[in-house]
Amino acid sequence: MTKADSRAALDGAAIRAKAGEIGPLLRESASEVEAARRLTAPVVDALRSTGVFRMSMPEAWGGPELDICTQIEIIETLSRADASVGWCAMIGSDSGYYSSFIDDATARSLYPDLDSVTAGWVVPAGTLEVCDGGYRLSGRWSFGSGSTHADVILGGARVTEKGSPRTSADGVPEQRIAMLPAAQWQVLDTWNPGGLAGSGSHDYTITDAFVPAENTWVYGQNHRSGTLYAWRGMFVVNFVGVPLGVALEACDVATGILAGKVSMPEMIPARDEPRVRAGIARARAMVGAARSYAYDTADTLWATLEAGDEPSFELRAQLAGCFVHTVTTCRTAVQLLVDTVGTAAIQKSCPLERQLRDLNTLVQHILGQTRVWEWAGGLYFGSEPPLPAL
């Protein structure tokens, strides 16, 4: 390791505390981050200082190798301040997982720093043409969250040989994920959504770039022991921390606004209105219930892996359902808060306005879409979903 070694070891408690300490900076920077459509340099520097990007790095490298529930707590803390920051932290901290999918020597070369940031998407939007020593990679991918400050970028691709798809013995087209230093990719300025605008989730592309064979991997491939690396889909589990953090913050924001608001034309304190009290109570119960279910599911998954067992179809079904349930419930709760607060919540100066937009964007992510309910239901009946991470 290089410069990361010069810092004192950061455990989960230290990273969580540091994540809370930078909250004021993140809140102050939220408008600038949104306007830039990417994390600004001071925000990225602040995130690196917390150690969040090293959460999944192995203890053998000097990393904290944090359990999944602690990771969710940290992402939740950051997301309370700014959903785009929490989202980029969640994506960027996958480096420890991805480095476990390739051999250790290659991984250490690709990730010389514990705080290296990874971006990219594993869908097979490119092609890997077989060549001596590896592949030639070309393609264009969408949703490269954090690509503007990444150190390593990856992309899923279909393997071809002499221009034709290469298939396995049973006729299935071969797919692999390729990883290269970020400098070898081109990030395109395409990201301009209503919510999560600061996540920098631009398209990215690469053309005819050489990828050593050892820089590619397939789902299920693993070169590292330890509970954190025992399940191929672990890298998506801390996803729930983002909607939970946004919704928890929205509950506090709405309560604060309503505590000092006078309802018109009745000219009575809003906090005394039955509809206001009911709205706040319902929203907090919805978020609290979703949070309890998310942590319970993640904890059960962790205990299962700790015992050396494979997650059952039922547990995987619970996990898949938990993803879509958490994000949709949090969005519904924040919509209720906006309706309860009223006109004050539609002003861009009100955090609720952005929090609702962020959650409306989050539910469009593949893990928040309605079809995940169907995949979860299929898992209960022993049917494999089309998304390998579930």
Side-chain angles (χ1 to χ4, degrees):
M1 292 297 126
T2 57
K3 61 184 178 181
D5 287 326
S6 64
R7 288 199 278 150
L10 291 171
D11 61 11
I15 296 173
R16 185 167 54 241
K18 287 177 175 290
E21 289 168 5
I22 67 170
L25 168 67
L26 301 182
R27 289 179 174 86
E28 291 169 9
S29 304
S31 295
E32 183 182 359
V33 165
E34 184 170 41
R37 295 176 293 115
R38 59 180 292 174
L39 300 192
T40 59
V43 169
V44 174
D45 290 343
L47 276 179
R48 286 190 193 273
S49 74
T50 67
V52 65
F53 293 129
R54 64 172 65 187
M55 291 195 300
S56 62
M57 284 297 193
E59 290 181 353
W61 287 15
E65 200 171 322
L66 296 186
D67 68 90
I68 196 60
C69 286
T70 300
Q71 289 193 36
I72 294 171
E73 290 176 3
I74 292 166
I75 297 302
E76 191 179 272
T77 298
L78 293 167
S79 299
R80 289 188 70 125
D82 186 343
S84 290
V85 172
W87 185 257
C88 285
M90 183 266 295
I91 296 290
S93 66
D94 285 342
S95 299
Y97 297 116
Y98 293 138
S99 65
S100 74
F101 299 146
I102 55 180
D103 70 81
D104 197 67
T106 303
R108 284 178 179 267
S109 175
L110 198 57
Y111 293 99
D113 190 329
L114 287 176
D115 299 301
S116 295
V117 176
T118 302
W121 193 226
V122 297
V123 293
T127 58
L128 280 166
E129 172 67 18
V130 177
C131 67
D132 289 343
Y135 308 88
R136 307 298 303 190
L137 175 65
S138 296
R140 175 171 173 166
W141 295 258
S142 299
F143 308 117
S145 301
S147 54
T148 54
H149 59 268
D151 301 296
V152 175
I153 293 179
L154 57 86
R158 299 173 298 277
V159 177
T160 61
E161 192 165 10
K162 297 180 179 179
S164 298
R166 192 164 75 176
T167 59
S168 63
D170 55 3
V172 177
E174 184 179 347
Q175 299 178 7
R176 300 188 74 83
I177 294 90
M179 301 197 296
L180 289 170
Q184 294 186 232
W185 305 75
Q186 180 184 4
V187 178
L188 307 175
D189 189 355
T190 57
W191 183 247
N192 193 23
L196 285 183
S199 66
S201 302
H202 300 287
D203 287 9
Y204 59 102
T205 186
I206 200 167
T207 303
D208 198 34
F210 175 69
V211 184
E214 59 268 23
N215 279 47
T216 70
W217 50 275
V218 296
Y219 272 110
Q221 180 176 316
N222 184 28
H223 293 265
R224 191 177 294 151
S225 60
T227 304
L228 193 60
Y229 315 108
W231 168 240
R232 65 177 183 268
M234 187 69 83
F235 70 97
V236 301
V237 179
N238 59 11
F239 163 86
V240 296
V242 182
L244 288 172
V246 175
L248 287 167
E249 183 73 5
C251 286
D252 289 347
V253 169
T255 303
I257 293 171
L258 292 165
K261 182 180 178 181
V262 175
S263 293
M264 302 290 187
E266 299 93 336
M267 295 300 292
I268 60 173
R271 65 189 178 201
D272 292 339
E273 286 193 78
R275 69 167 189 88
V276 167
R277 292 183 172 186
I280 290 292
R282 286 177 57 206
R284 286 187 178 271
M286 291 166 67
V287 176
R291 186 173 188 268
S292 294
Y293 186 57
Y295 277 92
D296 178 71
T297 300
D299 187 62
T300 300
L301 174 65
W302 188 262
T304 298
L305 298 173
E306 279 268 81
D309 297 327
E310 279 287 313
S312 64
F313 273 98
E314 183 170 348
L315 178 54
R316 290 170 58 195
Q318 181 178 334
L319 184 64
C322 176
F323 291 143
V324 64
H325 173 73
T326 300
V327 67
T328 55
T329 300
C330 286
R331 192 265 298 269
T332 302
V334 174
Q335 180 66 69
L336 174 58
L337 291 170
V338 168
D339 293 343
T340 302
V341 168
T343 53
I346 65 174
Q347 300 293 334
K348 287 193 173 181
S349 58
C350 179
L352 284 170
E353 189 270 341
R354 177 166 47 84
Q355 287 159 344
L356 182 58
R357 284 190 286 111
D358 289 338
L359 287 167
N360 277 330
T361 298
L362 266 176
V363 298
Q364 304 310 317
H365 186 272
I366 191 168
L367 294 179
Q369 294 175 9
T370 303
R371 56 182 167 167
V372 178
W373 284 123
E374 299 172 15
W375 298 344
L379 279 163
Y380 279 115
F381 291 104
S383 176
E384 288 286 351
L387 191 65
L390 297 179

